[in-house]
């Protein structure tokens, strides 16, 4: 699913020490779903289930050192803490979205949602939007053989549209906070 190209996505705007924006329910649902998927990647790191040679994991958790021994030691000592911090920030964005979404059958279901974040929430959103963009960007740039069978050129184009939309959301949030 991609954001409705026929409607202008609203920019974030400053509100006190935080920011507010309007988002369509389907946009919020899509972003919450993507956030939950990235949360799963970070939880796999904490649980020791992550596939560290996956191109996405290599971008999310790059080697901190060139030497294999130093890199392995850094991963052993720091990766779980880094993942826990990323889980906290991504969970904040997902919770904000899930809280804003109307219940199924709610008459507000088609109305734009108003999302408001304080300064701490805005920081979590900026970081989380960047991570979701990174994951999608890496996936859409992978060789076809590395993708799930059945992924079409149209699927890739839609995901690239989502990456652009996420970039807009991240950029306007950052500008609103300046």
């Amino acid at each position: 699913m991609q954001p409705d190209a026929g409607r202008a996505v609203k920019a974030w705007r400053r509100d006190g020490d935080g920011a507010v924006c309007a988002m369509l329910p389907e946009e919020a649902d899509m972003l919450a779903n993507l956030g939950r998927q990235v949360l799963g990647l970070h939880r796999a790191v904490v649980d020791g289930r992550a596939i560290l040679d996956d191109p996405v994991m290599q971008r999310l958790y790059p080697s901190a050192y060139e030497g294999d021994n130093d890199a392995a030691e850094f991963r052993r000592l720091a990766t779980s803490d880094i993942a826990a911090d990323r889980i906290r920030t991504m969970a904040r964005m997902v919770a904000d979205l899930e809280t804003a979404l109307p219940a199924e059958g709610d008459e507000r279901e088609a109305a734009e949602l108003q999302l408001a974040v304080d300064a701490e929430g805005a920081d979590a959103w900026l970081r989380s939007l960047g991570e979701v963009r990174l994951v999608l960007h890496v996936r859409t740039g992978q060789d076809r053989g590395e993708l799930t069978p059945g992924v079409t050129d149209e699927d890739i184009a839609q995901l690239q549209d989502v990456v652009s939309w996420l970039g807009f959301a991240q950029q306007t949030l950052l500008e609103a906070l300046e």
Side-chain angles (χ1 to χ4, degrees):
M1 178 173 126
Q2 74 183 58
D4 184 350
R7 294 181 68 175
V9 176
K10 305 292 192 261
W12 286 89
R13 59 191 186 286
R14 189 163 195 73
D15 183 40
D17 67 344
V20 297
C21 85
M23 192 177 287
L24 298 173
E26 55 267 20
E27 292 169 334
D29 186 51
M30 174 191 63
L31 184 52
N33 184 33
L34 291 169
R36 286 188 293 272
Q37 291 177 45
V38 175
L39 270 172
L41 295 173
H42 295 313
R43 287 182 177 129
V45 169
V46 171
D47 297 343
R49 298 178 290 108
I51 301 168
L52 296 177
D53 63 347
D54 178 328
V56 165
M57 297 308 285
Q58 289 176 350
R59 290 293 302 274
L60 285 172
Y61 296 93
S63 183
Y65 296 95
E66 288 185 25
D68 290 343
N69 290 339
D70 291 337
E73 185 66 4
F74 177 82
R75 282 189 194 283
R76 186 182 71 76
L77 294 173
T79 301
S80 288
D81 290 340
I82 293 167
D85 185 53
R86 290 179 174 178
I87 288 168
R88 182 186 55 78
T89 58
M90 187 67 66
R92 167 68 191 261
M93 183 184 77
V94 170
D96 288 346
L97 290 160
E98 288 175 341
T99 300
L101 283 167
E104 194 170 313
D106 188 323
E107 60 191 43
R108 301 176 305 133
E109 197 169 344
E112 286 184 335
L113 308 174
Q114 296 300 312
L115 293 162
V117 294
D118 58 12
E120 183 180 325
D123 182 60
W125 272 73
L126 285 169
R127 293 173 60 189
S128 297
L129 288 167
E131 288 178 19
V132 173
R133 285 180 65 203
L134 175 74
V135 169
L136 290 176
H137 179 73
V138 170
R139 286 292 186 239
T140 59
Q142 284 184 283
D143 291 336
R144 299 299 254 168
E146 296 175 356
L147 296 173
T148 304
V151 173
T152 67
D153 288 339
E154 183 179 325
D155 296 332
I156 297 296
Q158 287 181 347
L159 287 173
Q160 289 169 337
D161 288 345
V162 172
V163 171
S164 294
W165 175 75
L166 292 168
F168 172 81
Q170 189 178 34
Q171 176 186 349
T172 61
L173 177 55
L174 186 58
E175 289 170 353
L177 298 171
E178 290 181 337

